[in-house]
Amino acid sequence: MLMQQSIDEIARKAYVQYPKERIVGLYCGFKKVVLLRDPDIIRYIITKDFKHFISRGVRTNEEGFCDSLLLAEGDKWKSLRKKLTPAFTSTKLKHMTPLIEECIDKLITEAENRIDQGNPCNIKDLCEKYSLDVICSCVFGLNMDVYSNEIKHFGKVSKAATQPSIFYWFWYVAEMILPGIQRKFTKINPGSYVRSFFMKLVTTVINEREIRGIKRNDLMNIMIELKARDKLEAVGNSPLEVRIDDHIIASQACAFYVAGQETSSSILSFLLYELSLHPNIQDIVYEEICYVCDLYNGELTYESLKKLKYLYMVFQETMRKHSAVGFLIRKATSDYIIPETEITIKADTFVLISLTGLHTDAKYFQDPETFNPANFSEENMTKIPQYAYMPFGAGPRNCIGKNHCYLSLCVAFSPQTPFAHLRCGTVTAEPQ
Ligand code: HEM
């Protein structure tokens, strides 16, 4: 309530504090929260008995973005997920690769400019702008000059989402104490800036494409096609089915931006940070990239990415040591008795799973503070219990963008990019 600790930190502390327990109880304001520590129990909640835990229970203003995949509940979520899943198939992602390559060209120019000036190059800043460029291009269909000031609105939106002001604090604590109050005072919702920003952006893009008949291999195009199909087939009239319109598209675009930009950029910068601390690992990554490129005539194609096995291990280890999302959350939709126990999770109770806790638990990862990609070798992978490592969540509500995230990261390592050439001695590790 005093904003001294994030939910991630609170969940991790509780995870560490009770090493012998499978389930721990916490309070959030006056509400009871259940923290699950045991991968077998997690499996029941996340996958096997998912129907009782279909929602995240994260509230927002009804008129706002509660229609996004991230926050939608029940049948609305089911319908949205069914419609949007085909947007992330490997064929669709393959078609998006050229868009990501364009972002790489801009990244190279920017990095070269900065290096030519002889100044230290802030990698985190570069990663943030690169990820923003990828999301703008693949989600909104915008070709932006992210390395200039053109992104100030996105910056403001990110800040609103990641560094809440005192007004946000007041808004959320009020909801904690008086559930439902946010819906009564929608006009003063501090998130309305975010909503109107995305709504305006998305309607402009949609209008322009519809009027000029522009087609592009991006998520916006896929959603515009879904909108047209819903109109033609007159589907979506059933109360269980969501009809895709501009508001729904804006909600998804916002969700993809919020869920995809910060996560991808933080994983990319932590990965580079770890490589700078471990020149031996950096050398193996570099040699693997060169080897795979040679196999594919000097290019890193969509097909060749699967051959970058060591880079994938490094990626997995980065997400273990530096969780981009520190916890998973679900809300019970009905009373539920946890199998093999006598504990009932009452309807409306929140369930927390500390990914940071699980991923740094010595029970599952030997010497968890050490960065060791070998944790994810074929042999060692079999030793990790299934629900003890899940950086993208798990079950039907897992991350829809996980392959997109890995694709944008791999392309960032194509041989022309400065990242692929970062060798020991040229990268200094000074995290900020
Ligand atoms: C390093 C990159 C990323 C990480 C670590 C990450 C992680 C996660 C996690 C942990 C969840 C919650 C899963 C659960 O509750 O079981 C999630 C959900 C989600 N992610 Fe990602 N994510 C990443 C990138 C992306 C990208 C690039 C996009 C979109 C383009 C995206 C879109 C979403 C959406 C829409 C959801 C909600 C899915 C649903 O509720 O059906 N994520 N992500």
Side-chain angles (χ1 to χ4, degrees):
M1 285 184 90
L2 298 177
M3 291 180 83
Q4 300 293 305
Q5 287 179 357
S6 63
I7 301 181
D8 177 9
E9 284 169 307
I10 294 168
R12 178 161 194 257
K13 269 193 190 159
Y15 183 96
V16 173
Q17 208 177 340
Y18 299 97
K20 296 209 172 95
E21 303 300 332
R22 300 170 82 192
I23 303 158
V24 179
L26 303 168
Y27 278 98
C28 170
F30 297 110
K31 283 190 176 168
K32 288 177 182 169
V33 177
V34 174
L35 176 90
L36 302 179
R37 294 187 77 263
D38 182 90
D40 289 335
I41 294 182
I42 293 172
R43 181 175 69 96
Y44 284 115
I45 305 304
I46 293 276
T47 307
K48 206 163 167 289
D49 294 325
F50 175 72
K51 65 174 187 289
H52 300 282
F53 298 93
I54 192 169
S55 303
R56 292 207 169 86
V58 179
R59 247 180 251 260
T60 178
N61 179 338
E62 258 318 312
E63 288 172 346
F65 286 97
C66 51
D67 290 335
S68 79
L69 199 56
L70 208 52
L71 305 183
E73 309 201 330
D75 291 326
K76 194 184 262 181
W77 169 79
K78 258 193 216 160
S79 166
L80 272 176
R81 181 87 188 202
K82 201 166 138 213
K83 287 189 177 191
L84 291 167
T85 297
F88 291 88
T89 58
S90 47
T91 318
K92 293 270 169 35
L93 289 180
K94 187 175 168 179
H95 289 145
M96 270 177 224
T97 316
L99 300 179
I100 302 179
E101 280 168 356
E102 278 172 25
C103 301
I104 285 294
D105 290 342
K106 286 196 247 166
L107 174 70
I108 294 169
T109 313
E110 177 65 19
E112 278 174 357
N113 284 345
R114 291 194 193 184
I115 291 162
D116 283 350
Q117 285 163 10
N119 296 325
C121 189
N122 183 334
I123 294 285
K124 187 162 188 297
D125 179 57
L126 270 190
C127 291
E128 273 170 10
K129 292 191 168 139
Y130 166 68
S131 297
L132 178 64
D133 203 11
V134 171
I135 294 281
C136 282
S137 180
C138 296
V139 175
F140 298 97
L142 298 174
N143 186 356
M144 301 226 307
D145 184 3
V146 288
Y147 301 101
S148 76
N149 277 337
E150 227 188 293
I151 56 163
K152 64 175 187 291
H153 286 296
F154 277 97
K156 210 168 155 189
V157 169
S158 283
K159 201 169 165 220
T162 55
Q163 297 167 24
S165 66
I166 193 82
F167 188 30
Y168 267 94
W169 169 80
F170 174 74
W171 185 249
Y172 287 109
V173 170
E175 178 67 24
M176 225 187 262
I177 298 168
L178 299 167
I181 193 168
Q182 287 186 356
R183 288 178 197 204
K184 292 216 164 55
F185 295 96
T186 51
K187 291 246 159 61
I188 58 159
N189 181 357
S192 56
Y193 167 80
V194 179
R195 188 173 70 243
S196 53
F197 169 76
F198 279 105
M199 200 59 208
K200 212 164 125 197
L201 180 68
V202 168
T203 30
T204 312
V205 174
I206 296 177
N207 285 344
E208 203 174 288
R209 290 203 184 178
E210 286 177 344
I211 292 167
R212 297 207 203 155
I214 302 170
K215 293 229 178 292
R216 210 166 169 268
N217 284 323
D218 54 26
L219 288 164
M220 190 55 75
N221 209 74
I222 297 169
M223 292 192 284
I224 292 173
E225 277 172 10
L226 284 173
K227 176 184 159 188
R229 203 192 62 193
D230 274 8
K231 231 182 202 167
L232 262 182
E233 294 176 5
V235 293
N237 291 331
S238 134
L240 298 184
E241 205 169 335
V242 175
R243 196 185 174 90
I244 306 285
D245 57 17
D246 291 2
H247 164 83
I248 294 281
I249 297 181
S251 301
Q252 310 322 311
C254 175
F256 295 154
Y257 168 66
V258 170
Q261 200 259 327
E262 176 68 24
T263 45
S264 305
S265 85
S266 79
I267 290 301
L268 184 54
S269 37
F270 273 122
L271 192 151
L272 290 165
Y273 173 58
E274 291 292 353
L275 289 187
S276 73
L277 294 177
H278 301 93
N280 52 335
I281 296 176
Q282 201 176 139
D283 283 346
I284 306 174
V285 168
Y286 183 75
E287 268 148 34
E288 184 186 61
I289 292 171
C290 295
Y291 171 75
V292 172
C293 282
D294 282 351
L295 287 183
Y296 288 82
N297 301 325
E299 274 182 50
L300 211 59
T301 62
Y302 184 77
E303 285 71 26
S304 66
L305 298 181
K306 290 194 190 89
K307 295 241 181 308
L308 294 170
K309 296 227 156 90
Y310 191 72
L311 178 62
Y312 191 58
M313 283 159 60
V314 171
F315 176 59
Q316 305 243 72
E317 176 65 352
T318 306
M319 289 193 296
R320 181 194 69 76
K321 205 172 157 218
H322 309 276
S323 300
V325 178
F327 63 95
L328 304 181
I329 189 161
R330 297 287 186 272
K331 190 168 140 184
T333 48
S334 51
D335 287 1
Y336 174 80
I337 301 174
I338 302 177
E340 300 156 39
T341 73
E342 283 165 13
I343 296 171
T344 302
I345 301 180
K346 290 245 187 279
D348 286 339
T349 305
F350 282 103
V351 176
L352 273 187
I353 296 162
S354 169
L355 295 182
T356 326
L358 286 162
H359 294 179
T360 52
D361 191 333
K363 207 155 112 194
Y364 309 121
F365 301 94
Q366 220 182 20
D367 197 4
E369 293 311 316
T370 303
F371 185 79
N372 179 17
N375 279 327
F376 294 93
S377 66
E378 260 173 48
E379 191 198 337
N380 288 339
M381 280 282 278
T382 57
K383 296 180 197 152
I384 308 171
Q386 205 187 350
Y387 290 83
Y389 178 71
M390 36 183 183
F392 292 107
R397 214 152 180 178
N398 71 353
C399 174
I400 201 169
K402 66 179 184 183
N403 292 334
H404 187 278
C405 172
Y406 185 57
L407 176 67
S408 69
L409 184 127
C410 272
V411 179
F413 277 85
S414 67
Q416 318 90 301
T417 70
F419 294 155
H421 291 278
L422 295 174
R423 310 300 300 265
C424 47
T426 57
V427 193
T428 53
E430 286 176 22
Q432 294 178 354

